[in-house]
Structures are given as C-alpha cells and as structure tokens.
Amino acid sequence: NPRSFFEDSRRMSTTYCTNLIAIEEMPLTLISSLIDPKTLDPLPASDERQRFFEETTNLPYDMPFITNRSDVFTLDCPFCANTNQLVRWVADGEKGFAQPKFVHTCEICGESFKKSNIGVRRFCEEVTRRRAGDRVFISETFLAPSTGLSAETSAVEIMTKVLKWMDSTYQVLQPIPAGSDVDTEATKLAKGLGYNYLLLSNALHRGARPNITPDPDRPIPRLQRISVAYSHAGLASLDLVGAILRQGSFIQKMAELGWTRPGRFDLVSESAPLVRSIARYHAFLDLMAANKTSFFVPTLDIDLAWHTHQLRAWQYRDDSCRFLQRVPNHDDNVEPLLLSKGYDITAKAWKTRFGVPYSVCGCVPDGDSESLLSRFTSKIIGNSGSSHKRDSSVSSIDSTSSSGHKREKSVTTLEPVVNSRPDLVSTEEDEADASHPSEHNQQFGDPNGRTAFKAAHLREKRSAKCVASAKKGASRDPWRGLQAERNERRKEHKEAFTDPHYGSGAYYPYWGVSVAIPLGFYGGYAVLSVGGCGGGCGSCGGGGGGCGGCGGCG
C-alpha cells in the first residue's frame, strides 16, 4: 500500500517514521545478489550479517518453525502502560497474540486487553503528543485522497473537524494543561473512549457529521479508514499481518503459473510473458491516466509488474505524479462485489481503448460492444441479402455409441482472431492464465455467509449470460468467441470472484504457530462471531483480514 507507507513515514517525527524513510527503497540489486540464480534459494548469510541482524532487532537470525505454548514475549498494557513479560504467542482458546482471539490479562493491573485496545491507546497518544507541540498528523489525514500527495493544510482542517466532538469533552484541540504530561492526558482520553474501537469510530463520526446518525453497515469511507488505522496493535496504520497473508495468496498464484520456477525466464525465447506483463502494466497506467476517477482492477501479470514498481517507492511516486498527476494506491482489502464490478469496468475500458480483450483466461467474456440497434439492423440486412443462412458449424466424429456406430456432433467454427496488439494479449493457450483477474486484494468475509453466496451467484449468472451472447455473436467479434470457447472448454479454470473460500483459513500471523499448519501455508482469514470492529478483522479479535477499506486499485 504505497500511500499508507508514505504517509506513515511522513506524518510524525518519530524514530519509527525515520526508519521507514531509511528503508523506502527496496534494495532489489542487493537482494538479487543474495539469491542462488539456479535454485532461487537464499544464499547463506555471512556471520557479520547475522550478527548485525540480531544486534539491531534483538531477535535470533534463524526463524523458528515451531512456536510452543511456553514461548512468550513482552508487550505493554494499554491500560496501565506497564510491560507484561509473559504474553503468549499461542494459548488455549486461540487467545495467543499470534491467534485470532487474542486477549491477555495484564500481569500488573489485572485488566484484560485485546489488540484493538492497544490501537485505541495509540490513537490517544498521538493526539496528545500533538497537543504537547509535537508534529503529528493522525492516520489517513496527511495525504489528499484524490492525488495521494502531501496536504498539510487540509490535514489540519480534517483533524479539527473529526476531533471536534472529543474536543468538547476532552479538549483534544487545546494544549495540554500546565503541570500535566502526555501519558496522563492520553490515559484520560483513552478512558473516556473506553479503550473501545467502536466508541472511537462513533466519536470521529460525531465530530465530522454531527447531524447524521452513524450507520455501521454504511460507514463514511474516510472516517472508516481513519478508525481502522487504529484497530490493531503495532505502529503501522494497516494490519501488516493481514497484508502479508493476502500477498501470500498472490504469490501462490504466481507459483501456479510456473513463474517462480527456477530458470523459467532464462531463455530469451521464453521471456515473452514477462515482457508482455510490463507492456500491459504500461497500458494499465495509460488507462488510469485517461480515466482519472475509475476503479480499475489488474490481472495477475499486470499486478506483478505493479507490485515490482511499488518496491521502488520514490520512483513509483515520481513516475505516477509525472504521468498520472496522482499516486494510485494499491488497496489490497476490497469488498468482493466492488472488486468484480471494477474488473468489468476495467475490461470494457481496456477493449475500447486498445481494441483487444483484457483477459483470455476463460473467465467471463467481454460484453457486446455493438449496440442493440446496430445488431438488429445487421440481422435484417443479413437476412434480406441472402436466401439461406450461412452454416457456422461443421460435422465431426465423436466417441463411439453403445451400438458401435459413430456419432456426429455439431461444433461451432470460430472465426480466426486478428491480433493487432500482440504486445498486450496472447492467443497462446499456455499463457492464458497470466491474464486471470488478480483477486488477492479481495476482502475476505464469511465464506458460508449470505453475502458471499450472493456475490458468487451473481457472478456465475453474468458469466453464463455473456458466454451465450459471445457464442451467438462470434462472427462479429472473434475475440469474444475465443473467450466463450475457453470458458466452456477450460472446465478446471475457476471463474474469478466466485469462490467464497478463496484465501480463507486461520488468521495465524507467524509461521509454525500450529503443527496443524504445514510449512508454506498461505493463510487468509477465519471469520469468527466476536466483537471488534464489525468487519471481522483479526486485529480486533474477529479473525478476519481487515475492515472495509475503500479506494482501490487506482
């Protein structure tokens, strides 16, 4: 999430922010030099590197593959601010820090706390540090939503608005009283909010929209983004654990394509898919430049290039500002229906602009670009100009029947496609899956819930309708005919946005926390009916992968 990273590195003057600035450019050349080019395994680290890592992080260099119930770490209590020495990673009832229902009883004050309580405490400390004169902007206020560029003046205005209700009771917009300190004032504010994420959300809403009753089912997007940033433990404004797990599902897709296989692109003759992914990413950026307010969803190959570009954070911002006049975010937590609709909008805009289909993987074909009136006129002219209808099928021999005779079946003859943009699309069968929609940024909900079922049903219904339409109009648009043919023939190919279990699994942030999970597990989120933010996010003890983020891919 390039905007989140940039904002977190700039919105405060803290050691954490300074460290983010220092690592803003991923050292790709250095990293590649430490990977075995034949096996893609990491090369052994020198003693000096291992020692530097351990001295800097106070962690052992070798990653633990198994976490036992006796393994503990230290964590400050959000209520009394004292350090707890015996916080478990794994505990009964999945209440360990590395599990979805985390709760710990403070060893000093006796209060039980969750990750969301820690997040609310962090919010109160940031607001109070600003009152004390420190340079602090609360999350999701420092950047202009439309451009992703720094906007300190408007950030002050937004903070003044959202903190208005709290100010009437806790004077959060006034300097801290003489003789008081940040810790005392932060504790006072946190107690007033009950250390409760929902109370914080409502307080922000009452400040920004005092005449509108908060609706948990239809939250105001920016207010929700602000509150979600303080719904979990840690200093980042997003749940890094959930982000890594969602990224894991994308890496798994790359592995299934064979793109992570050692030597896959060593030969120039076999590098066309990788080169095409870069060309398609350039075209994707061009599409965003021409449609500044649209929500566009990438395919797998485009997303790979997009992710890579974002690793060069400074260059990504510079290129984006130069070509797009804004910095597109890459929100990886989008509601499924919104994601599927965004993909359809992208596919339509792509074909209109470039004249070739966006995807030929076997998912839903493009809609018919010819108007209903035009199709009706063509049909009349075609019928009146010919006394017999052209046969669009040929006979072929099928399997032997029970009587021993050969059966004939009618097979639709596809019009040959004319590929005017081989740089943007390939008709090669073994490259088809690279153009599959990227689903890793989908917000995972309850796979057995009504919403998931409805989304899958609507998508399958649309796919069937488009396939029928594409087959009927294949002579007018051979590309659609190819898409329909692949949809029907590639039965093993799963229609995008129809699998309610996609990415679902247990919210285990760290490798090896349970022997039931094999090494290499790429998890998603288990939705549990517990409190928290109402979005099923693991950070609030809900086991999910985050709360309703908005914005999206562009």
Side-chain angles (χ1 to χ4, degrees), residues 87-157:
V87 180
R88 292 186 178 184
W89 292 105
V90 183
D92 292 337
E94 295 194 319
K95 294 181 179 181
F97 192 78
Q99 295 173 294
K101 301 179 184 178
F102 170 69
V103 63
H104 179 76
T105 301
C106 179
E107 301 148 23
I108 291 85
C109 70
E111 292 281 355
S112 295
F113 61 88
K114 301 178 180 179
K115 294 178 184 178
S116 59
N117 302 134
I118 300 174
V120 173
R121 172 74 191 199
R122 177 163 56 89
F123 170 85
C124 296
E125 289 179 351
E126 289 184 9
V127 169
T128 307
R129 287 208 311 273
R130 182 175 177 82
R131 295 177 61 194
D134 290 355
R135 181 182 177 277
V136 176
F137 295 89
I138 62 176
S139 290
E140 293 293 338
T141 64
F142 186 69
L143 304 181
S146 60
T147 64
L149 304 179
S150 303
E152 292 195 20
T153 301
S154 63
V156 173
E157 295 174 353

Side-chain angles (χ1 to χ4, degrees), residues 114-388:
K114 301 178 180 179
K115 294 178 184 178
S116 59
N117 302 134
I118 300 174
V120 173
R121 172 74 191 199
R122 177 163 56 89
F123 170 85
C124 296
E125 289 179 351
E126 289 184 9
V127 169
T128 307
R129 287 208 311 273
R130 182 175 177 82
R131 295 177 61 194
D134 290 355
R135 181 182 177 277
V136 176
F137 295 89
I138 62 176
S139 290
E140 293 293 338
T141 64
F142 186 69
L143 304 181
S146 60
T147 64
L149 304 179
S150 303
E152 292 195 20
T153 301
S154 63
V156 173
E157 295 174 353
I158 293 167
M159 286 192 295
T160 301
K161 180 179 290 187
V162 300
L163 297 176
K164 189 174 182 179
W165 182 84
M166 279 182 267
D167 181 61
S168 65
T169 306
Y170 306 107
Q171 293 76 52
V172 296
L173 297 176
Q174 312 302 320
I176 61 175
S180 188
D181 55 49
V182 170
D183 185 64
T184 300
E185 293 298 312
T187 300
K188 186 186 301 183
L189 176 59
K191 286 182 177 179
L193 295 173
Y195 291 87
N196 187 289
Y197 168 85
L198 292 179
L199 291 181
L200 170 61
S201 300
N202 288 336
L204 294 171
H205 182 101
R206 293 175 72 175
R209 300 291 178 87
N211 299 321
I212 301 177
T213 303
D215 183 353
D217 295 325
R218 302 185 64 182
I220 297 172
R222 193 169 193 182
L223 294 180
Q224 186 183 30
R225 293 201 304 272
I226 293 173
S227 56
V228 165
Y230 298 98
S231 66
H232 54 268
L235 299 176
S237 62
L238 72 161
D239 179 12
L240 294 176
V241 171
I244 289 297
L245 292 176
R246 288 189 293 274
Q247 180 68 12
S249 65
F250 174 78
I251 294 173
Q252 186 66 30
K253 286 289 186 180
M254 290 291 106
E256 292 171 0
L257 287 178
W259 284 25
T260 59
R261 190 178 69 247
R264 170 65 178 85
F265 298 112
D266 286 356
L267 299 178
V268 175
S269 59
E270 297 180 356
S271 63
L274 200 60
V275 174
R276 187 177 294 108
S277 73
I278 299 172
R280 281 168 58 84
Y281 173 58
H282 288 180
F284 186 76
L285 292 177
D286 177 71
L287 207 62
M288 286 199 285
N291 302 269
K292 297 186 183 300
T293 60
S294 294
F295 173 83
F296 289 143
V297 177
T299 52
L300 291 174
D301 55 352
I302 292 173
D303 218 6
L304 176 65
W306 197 357
H307 289 185
T308 308
H309 194 188
Q310 290 172 60
L311 292 178
R312 306 300 299 270
W314 275 109
Q315 184 176 339
Y316 180 77
R317 288 187 67 84
D318 182 66
D319 291 343
S320 298
C321 290
R322 190 152 42 100
F323 296 121
L324 307 179
Q325 288 74 55
R326 70 187 192 279
V327 182
N329 203 25
H330 188 283
D331 194 341
D332 68 344
N333 192 24
V334 185
E335 194 272 329
L337 279 175
L338 179 61
L339 197 65
S340 63
K341 290 179 181 177
Y343 171 78
D344 293 338
I345 292 172
T346 311
K348 182 177 181 179
W350 179 283
K351 192 167 186 179
T352 299
R353 190 164 182 83
F354 304 118
V356 292
Y358 189 45
S359 174
V360 288
C361 65
C363 284
V364 58
D366 295 331
D368 198 335
S369 58
E370 188 175 5
S371 69
L372 182 62
L373 178 61
S374 176
R375 277 180 276 158
F376 182 68
T377 304
S378 298
K379 185 175 182 180
I380 293 176
I381 295 175
N383 288 341
S384 63
S386 175
S387 58
H388 59 277

